[in-house]
Amino acid sequence: MSNFTIYPAIDMRGGNCVRLIQGDYNQETVYGDSPFDMAKSFASQGAEWIHMVDLDGAKAGGRINDSYVIQAAKELGANIQIGGGIRTEADVVHYLERGIERVILGSAAVSDPGFTKTMLGKYGKHIAIGIDAKDGKVATHGWLQTSETTAIELGKALADEGAEVFIVTDIATDGMLSGPNVEGIVAMAEATGKGVIASGGISSLKDLITLKEYQNQGVIGAIVGKAIYTNRFTVKEALEKVRD
């Protein structure tokens, strides 16, 4: 089992680093005006992975803030995973050819299962499936729509198609600093038999320790955003806390 990985998050909108509350574009806080500088700061604290999201892209359905992502992949020693607005194979290739380690398919995983299956077949471990759940159902398109599919159903179907990594966000907890939905995350890991990265609600080092306890069940990491930006703890402290 690989180490439990911390993924400090950079959500990009209008060229800024922002955080939304429960995915609401009207509840935005700006935490910096340079996504690259933020990524550099995380890498300098020892982050081996950085999670970047193109919020403008997620809403528009195409790449918008990709230049920051590519610069981070090129100039920093960290692995980058990117989500938001990735709807075509050209989008996937655009990132992978420029040194991005992992591309996240979110809305496309629900709206275009055939495309997702093809991408998993071609690019394997470089594809992560982002499943955003609201009351157990899958939400898509920047969380603006909710489908009838349950998160677990989607996870199982895509694991059968070759998905190895899932990023599970519980919208109810995202940006709320209320603690992660541990039960939902572990349920996904157990249902799929694959690696699950927890996202949403992490507010303390204790939350990270709790999630790490389920490492053997397949919880392989956690995405941390607002807790870092509001100085609950640093990336360095988080990495030290979960080190084996």
Side-chain angles (χ1 to χ4, degrees), residues 10-231:
I10 298 172
D11 289 2
M12 300 170 292
R13 190 173 181 211
N16 292 324
C17 303
V18 307
R19 301 303 295 171
L20 306 181
I21 291 180
Q22 295 180 325
D24 184 347
Y25 284 73
N26 295 317
Q27 296 192 66
E28 173 190 275
T29 307
V30 176
Y31 286 104
D33 60 5
S34 170
F36 174 75
D37 286 350
M38 193 68 77
K40 191 175 178 182
S41 141
F42 293 161
S44 72
Q45 292 178 65
E48 292 177 6
W49 279 89
I50 297 169
H51 174 82
M52 301 182 82
V53 180
D54 183 352
L55 289 174
D56 294 311
K59 208 170 184 180
R63 304 186 307 268
I64 292 178
N65 291 292
D66 53 330
S67 60
Y68 308 109
V69 184
I70 291 160
Q71 186 185 7
K74 201 173 282 181
E75 296 184 30
L76 305 176
N79 296 302
I80 308 293
Q81 66 180 18
I82 172 68
I86 297 161
R87 304 277 197 273
T88 66
E89 183 168 5
D91 293 330
V92 172
V93 170
H94 176 78
Y95 284 122
L96 296 183
E97 282 186 345
R98 288 163 178 78
I100 282 80
E101 184 60 28
R102 193 185 283 156
V103 172
I104 303 160
L105 298 182
S107 299
V110 182
S111 59
D112 197 343
F115 165 70
T116 306
K117 182 179 175 180
T118 303
M119 293 305 95
L120 288 167
K122 280 191 175 184
Y123 304 106
K125 68 183 177 67
H126 296 292
I127 302 288
I129 302 296
I131 299 183
D132 302 329
K134 196 171 190 176
D135 304 321
K137 298 278 178 70
V138 176
T140 62
H141 300 91
W143 299 350
L144 302 172
Q145 300 170 25
T146 308
S147 76
E148 285 308 302
T149 310
T150 72
I152 296 280
E153 284 166 356
L154 180 63
K156 285 165 88 165
L158 291 172
D160 289 345
E161 298 294 355
E164 291 294 331
V165 177
F166 292 91
I167 296 167
V168 177
T169 305
D170 178 30
I171 295 174
T173 63
D174 188 72
M176 300 299 286
L177 295 171
S178 57
N181 178 355
V182 177
E183 195 180 317
I185 291 150
V186 174
M188 178 66 75
E190 291 181 336
T192 59
K194 303 297 182 182
V196 173
I197 299 167
S199 170
I202 291 161
S203 63
S204 65
L205 294 170
K206 186 165 166 283
D207 289 337
L208 296 175
I209 293 161
T210 300
L211 287 165
K212 189 179 189 294
E213 286 169 7
Y214 296 95
Q215 195 175 345
N216 291 337
Q217 276 108 303
V219 180
I220 59 171
I223 292 168
V224 187
K226 196 167 184 181
I228 292 168
Y229 291 103
T230 54
N231 303 313

